Amino acid sequence: MLQPRAFSITTLLKTDTICLFCRSRTASHPPSPTSARRRHVSTSSTSSTTSNRKRAPPPPSSPVPASPSDDHTHTPKPLDRPIGLPHPPRPGENTGLDPRTWRQRRADFVDYDRHLERRRLLTRQVAKPYFREWSNMKYHEGKSFICPPALFRSTRALYFPNLHGQTLASKLPVDTTTVLQDRVSVVSVYSGTWAQRQTASFVSKQDNPELAAVLDEEKDVLQEVDINVEPNRLKAWLIRLFMPSLRRQLPTGRHSRYFLVRRGITEEIRDAIGLLNSKVGYVYLVDGQCRIRWAGSGNAEGGERQGLVKGVRRLVEEQRRAREKPAMIMGEAGGDDKESQPARAAAAA
């Protein structure tokens, strides 16, 4: 039987086995040794790369478990430093209105530093995830921090900002600073029904009857203030629509201390006073000089209600002593005048 003939490269390159055209081409263009060398180097490098790939360790059969997320292991910590603004509040601040003239607006418009500041604020707002506050609600019901174990010292305490809003007693906007001065105030800041229920766990009569008793006893020194923050125009309009029902629900004395604030609370103010989540309720204990001496967030837990009551009693005592000092000074001045009257009469005689 016939066997297939084996051909090799040398056999094919023989002059007697190739055609005339290939023979003439080989004679005119002999193979270059450089190309052969390149071909050899590329072949060797390819083989070495293939061998290196084969030596690489195989991937693990099972994936490495990921470390637990910080959100799942996050636990609110006690507030260990004073919060607030470094300067005392003044009526007329943080109204959200632009009091600049057209000339001042034009000067700010062409100011490059103002543009950089505005760009920084916009970048910060864009970088903030839209659903971050809602997603944080599933961890400890949005509680940002635990109440401090004691009051902040008066020498280190910072100030509560001035806010501007409408009250239940008047349609014209009012400043909160005029209401907070010279009285101890339990301020509840919330936005929405969920946050209002959280603040009620601190200050309501059902959840904290001891605080309600102190509020009834010390009406001349102690007061309760509500600040409903609603930047949405439509929701604010609905709240105004239902203000008559709010007036029926609250005592008449609290109508002038219920504020509806739409604008003026910037991100810097929120960070300064610890208002980290707009969907969570916050409670502040403010003294007669508008300084934040105690703060709470979320639902009341453990001994936070008792801590609030102790702080209220202590601030009431401090406020009473502060009121008595001017009276004592005036009394001493009057006594000195009475004692000096006989001396003056004798000198005149």
Side-chain angles (χ1 to χ4, degrees):
M1 185 171 62
L2 296 177
Q3 298 292 334
R5 185 178 179 182
F7 293 94
S8 62
I9 300 299
T10 56
T11 305
L12 292 174
L13 293 178
K14 287 182 180 181
T15 57
D16 55 348
T17 57
I18 59 178
C19 64
L20 295 176
F21 177 78
C22 295
R23 191 184 306 173
S24 61
R25 186 177 180 185
T26 304
S28 60
H29 300 283
S32 175
T34 306
S35 61
R37 192 182 301 111
R38 289 176 180 173
R39 196 178 301 112
H40 174 71
V41 171
S42 62
T43 306
S44 61
S45 62
T46 304
S47 61
S48 62
T49 304
T50 306
S51 61
N52 291 335
R53 290 178 180 176
K54 291 181 179 180
R55 295 194 195 98
S61 57
S62 59
V64 180
S67 59
S69 175
D70 295 338
D71 293 337
H72 295 278
T73 59
H74 170 71
T75 302
K77 298 181 180 180
L79 191 61
D80 56 354
R81 62 175 182 83
I83 57 176
L85 299 179
H87 56 81
R90 293 179 298 178
E93 293 180 336
N94 307 320
T95 60
L97 304 176
D98 193 355
R100 299 176 300 172
T101 61
W102 286 103
R103 182 174 297 179
Q104 292 174 346
R105 295 184 184 184
R106 180 185 176 280
D108 293 340
F109 181 76
V110 298
D111 191 352
Y112 184 69
D113 295 335
R114 293 272 186 176
H115 281 283
L116 292 179
E117 181 69 17
R118 179 63 176 171
R119 188 184 304 173
R120 183 183 66 84
L121 295 177
L122 292 176
T123 303
R124 185 177 180 181
Q125 292 178 2
V126 172
K128 181 180 178 180
Y130 181 77
F131 293 101
R132 185 179 66 179
E133 294 181 344
W134 288 107
S135 60
N136 290 339
M137 294 292 291
K138 60 184 178 181
Y139 305 116
H140 304 277
E141 296 181 346
K143 196 175 185 67
S144 304
F145 52 83
I146 299 177
C147 302
L151 295 178
F152 299 130
R153 294 182 180 179
S154 59
T155 56
R156 297 183 56 191
L158 301 177
Y159 295 91
F160 190 83
N162 177 73
L163 301 178
H164 193 73
Q166 181 182 350
T167 64
L168 295 179
S170 65
K171 296 183 179 180
L172 297 178
V174 182
D175 294 313
T176 58
T177 302
T178 57
V179 177
L180 300 179
Q181 285 178 342
D182 299 329
R183 300 188 71 177
V184 179
S185 305
V186 181
V187 184
S188 301
V189 182
Y190 49 84
S191 178
T193 306
W194 173 270
Q196 186 178 8
R197 291 175 181 174
Q198 289 184 333
T199 59
S201 64
F202 283 93
V203 301
S204 67
K205 189 174 183 179
Q206 293 78 12
D207 296 324
N208 199 346
E210 189 175 357
L211 177 62
V214 178
L215 286 169
D216 293 337
E217 295 173 1
E218 309 291 346
K219 290 183 178 181
D220 57 332
V221 182
L222 183 63
Q223 65 181 354
E224 187 177 356
V225 180
D226 294 89
I227 299 178
N228 189 350
V229 181
E230 189 51 71
N232 189 288
R233 181 175 298 180
L234 179 59
K235 293 182 180 180
W237 179 78
L238 291 175
I239 294 175
R240 290 194 187 98
L241 185 64
F242 288 96
M243 273 189 173
S245 62
L246 290 175
R247 294 188 183 97
R248 290 192 295 268
Q249 294 176 10
L250 296 177
T252 307
R254 291 182 57 183
H255 289 179
S256 61
R257 300 193 296 269
Y258 182 96
F259 291 85
L260 175 61
V261 179
R262 284 197 56 244
R263 56 173 72 94
I265 303 181
T266 61
E267 292 295 331
E268 287 77 9
I269 293 178
R270 288 182 177 274
D271 295 340
I273 65 177
L275 202 66
L276 305 178
N277 194 332
S278 62
K279 307 299 184 293
V280 178
Y282 295 84
V283 178
Y284 300 92
L285 184 56
V286 183
D287 62 7
Q289 300 181 15
C290 301
R291 295 176 298 193
I292 300 176
R293 306 292 298 276
W294 186 92
S297 67
N299 290 317
E301 298 178 357
E304 291 181 336
R305 298 186 185 92
Q306 289 74 17
L308 174 59
V309 174
K310 291 180 181 179
V312 166
R313 293 184 182 276
R314 180 177 173 183
L315 287 185
V316 167
E317 295 176 0
E318 291 182 2
Q319 186 63 28
R320 289 194 179 280
R321 288 197 299 266
R323 287 186 178 184
E324 292 174 358
K325 284 183 179 180
M328 294 175 61
I329 294 174
M330 293 296 294
E332 293 176 358
D336 295 340
D337 293 340
K338 291 180 181 179
E339 293 177 359
S340 61
Q341 285 180 2
R344 291 175 184 174

